[in-house]
Amino acid sequence: MTTSAAPRAEPAPLAFWFEFASTYTYVAAMRIEQSCADAGVPLRWKPFLLGPIFALQGWNDSHFNLNPRRGAYMWRDMERLTAKLHLPWRKPSVFPRNTIVPARVACAVADEAWCGEYVRRIFVANFGEDREVGERNVVASILTELGQDADAVLARAEAPEKRGTLRANTERAIELGIFGAPNCVVGDELFWGEESLDDAIDWSLAHSAAAGRV
Amino acid sequence: MTTSAAPRAEPAPLAFWFEFASTYTYVAAMRIEQSCADAGVPLRWKPFLLGPIFALQGWNDSHFNLNPRRGAYMWRDMERLTAKLHLPWRKPSVFPRNTIVPARVACAVADEAWCGEYVRRIFVANFGEDREVGERNVVASILTELGQDADAVLARAEAPEKRGTLRANTERAIELGIFGAPNCVVGDELFWGEESLDDAIDWSLAHSAAAGRV
């Protein structure tokens, strides 16, 4: 059953697979909702954890910490990118942060209309304000700021039947071939990196949901 | 001494640091000369070897081979990118190839007007035709095809006073903080990755040679 009689098939949904600890994901997360809306592409929020995926690759830390040459470039690149895009930037004093609490909340509210606003607010707190976004009270204050009942949302995120969603998402990310962040997944196609958002949106527009690619 | 009385200072030169074995460098190399010409940015060809730089990072092979999840994504991404950009693509049967011979030639002809044509021809042979571009006779046949005296060019590239240029370039790449390829360097700024070419050109336009950034 469709809600529109328009002849054009709906673009394939774009799943945005994100981790609140990831610097490049910050840049992508700030624009993904608007970019999808502009293109008419349905967006799905997919929080996951990079830790278990890094472990699969033999890493016990971010590769930006394990490889100082790669890390030095990333920090300079983030200064340039955030300046270019007029995004707040303050190099975090802890990297990567433990993001289980805010990610569990994202899992619980992924289908709410305000999820995008919540996601952007957590990312700005981490990378624009150097706040400890892994702490329950920081997440609670952000939820309150967004007009939500923080205790109720946190209770929902930590309820036994919801706690497993983040782990299930991470296992699904592994199956999808994800090795870093951010990622857009359209049908079977994985698009990695902040700079591939537009390619993912183009792929969605070219592969309608009706064509069975989702 | 300048050749023009135009008031605008000349854009800062853009040095393109490339390795013939690198897949993403293929994509970048095919358009860098035209993009710089369109923008009026002076281009410098800088061949180097990734092997010693990977060794610094503890790798004895391409990270695309060492990390199968990362590698699988790269091969699929190359299929998509080359299709989008209408570039020839045939997955190479050997990866990464030993590129010392063609890189030495690139060092020897870096200041010649036909260097760009040579660079693109070697990349297409490696990634569009699956040819053994590390072999002297393959490089010779490509030089001949370009209307050059292959024996004379190879002799020049392998002359004692020229053989050290590739090693010196690689040492300079290490000093510049290079950890992969392709790279554009404008003044002190490093831009890594096929998708950052346009940012590098914008940086060059914003930082004129007269401002002392080169």
Side-chain angles (χ1 to χ4, degrees):
Chain A
M1 204 165 117
T2 58
T3 55
S4 157
R8 195 164 75 88
E10 188 182 22
L14 182 154
F16 183 67
W17 289 82
F18 66 99
E19 150 71 89
F20 283 122
S22 157
T23 47
Y24 285 106
T25 304
Y26 166 40
V27 176
M30 296 304 283
R31 71 178 177 93
I32 187 68
E33 191 168 41
Q34 188 63 54
S35 296
C36 283
D38 291 347
V41 168
L43 171 63
R44 308 278 184 265
W45 297 103
K46 294 287 184 181
F48 75 106
L49 295 179
L50 271 174
I53 288 177
F54 283 175
L56 276 183
Q57 295 170 84
W59 309 337
N60 60 357
D61 194 353
S62 163
H63 61 301
F64 294 125
N65 291 338
L66 295 173
N67 182 345
R69 299 179 70 81
R70 184 72 190 82
Y73 179 79
M74 180 276 285
W75 293 117
R76 175 60 185 144
D77 200 28
M78 284 303 295
E79 288 177 352
R80 288 190 311 224
L81 272 175
T82 53
K84 182 174 88 168
L85 300 169
H86 307 290
L87 295 175
W89 174 249
R90 189 181 302 169
K91 186 179 171 179
S93 51
V94 178
F95 177 83
R97 289 198 156 105
N98 182 321
T99 55
I100 290 179
V101 173
R104 278 199 178 138
V105 168
C107 287
V109 306
D111 295 330
E112 311 265 350
W114 54 276
C115 184
E117 196 180 8
Y118 166 76
V119 167
R120 292 187 291 275
R121 194 65 197 82
I122 295 284
F123 272 113
V124 168
N126 194 5
F127 295 114
E129 300 165 354
D130 191 20
R131 287 170 73 189
E132 282 296 343
V133 297
E135 287 182 8
R136 211 169 174 280
N137 65 327
V138 172
V139 175
S141 77
I142 285 173
L143 288 167
T144 304
E145 195 187 304
L146 294 175
Q148 300 299 321
D149 180 337
D151 289 340
V153 172
L154 281 162
R156 185 144 60 97
E158 292 166 351
E161 68 275 16
K162 262 294 173 190
R163 288 176 75 95
T165 307
L166 184 57
R167 180 186 296 243
N169 278 6
T170 302
E171 283 167 6
R172 179 65 186 140
I174 291 169
E175 288 170 4
L176 287 166
I178 283 173
F179 54 89
N183 306 277
C184 297
V185 176
V186 182
D188 297 333
E189 292 290 327
L190 173 62
F191 295 85
W192 168 69
E194 179 274 320
E195 67 285 348
S196 69
L197 294 191
D198 295 331
D199 281 346
I201 287 172
D202 288 346
W203 194 273
S204 166
L205 294 172
H207 296 82
S208 73
R213 305 262 330 182
V214 283
Chain B
M1 206 165 112
T2 57
T3 55
S4 156
R8 194 164 77 85
E10 189 183 20
L14 183 154
F16 182 67
W17 289 82
F18 67 99
E19 150 71 90
F20 283 122
S22 156
T23 48
Y24 285 106
T25 305
Y26 166 41
V27 176
M30 296 305 281
R31 73 179 177 93
I32 186 68
E33 190 168 42
Q34 188 64 53
S35 295
C36 283
D38 291 347
V41 168
L43 171 63
R44 309 277 184 266
W45 297 103
K46 295 286 185 182
F48 75 107
L49 296 180
L50 271 174
I53 288 177
F54 283 174
L56 276 183
Q57 296 171 83
W59 308 337
N60 61 357
D61 194 353
S62 164
H63 61 302
F64 294 126
N65 291 338
L66 295 173
N67 182 344
R69 299 179 71 82
R70 183 73 189 83
Y73 179 78
M74 181 275 286
W75 293 117
R76 175 60 184 143
D77 199 28
M78 284 303 296
E79 289 177 351
R80 289 190 310 225
L81 272 176
T82 52
K84 182 174 88 167
L85 300 169
H86 307 290
L87 295 176
W89 174 251
R90 190 180 301 170
K91 185 179 172 180
S93 51
V94 177
F95 177 82
R97 288 199 157 105
N98 181 322
T99 55
I100 290 180
V101 173
R104 279 198 177 138
V105 168
C107 288
V109 307
D111 295 330
E112 311 264 352
W114 54 275
C115 184
E117 196 180 10
Y118 165 76
V119 167
R120 292 186 292 274
R121 194 64 196 82
I122 295 283
F123 271 113
V124 168
N126 193 4
F127 295 113
E129 300 166 352
D130 191 20
R131 288 169 73 189
E132 282 296 344
V133 296
E135 287 182 8
R136 211 169 175 281
N137 66 326
V138 172
V139 176
S141 77
I142 285 173
L143 289 168
T144 303
E145 194 188 303
L146 295 175
Q148 300 299 321
D149 179 336
D151 288 340
V153 172
L154 281 161
R156 185 145 59 97
E158 292 166 351
E161 68 276 15
K162 262 293 174 191
R163 288 176 75 97
T165 307
L166 183 58
R167 179 186 297 244
N169 277 7
T170 301
E171 284 167 6
R172 179 65 184 139
I174 291 170
E175 288 170 6
L176 288 165
I178 283 173
F179 54 89
N183 306 277
C184 297
V185 176
V186 181
D188 298 333
E189 292 292 327
L190 173 62
F191 295 85
W192 167 70
E194 180 273 320
E195 66 286 348
S196 69
L197 294 192
D198 295 330
D199 280 348
I201 287 172
D202 288 346
W203 194 274
S204 166
L205 294 172
H207 296 81
S208 72
R213 305 260 333 179
V214 284

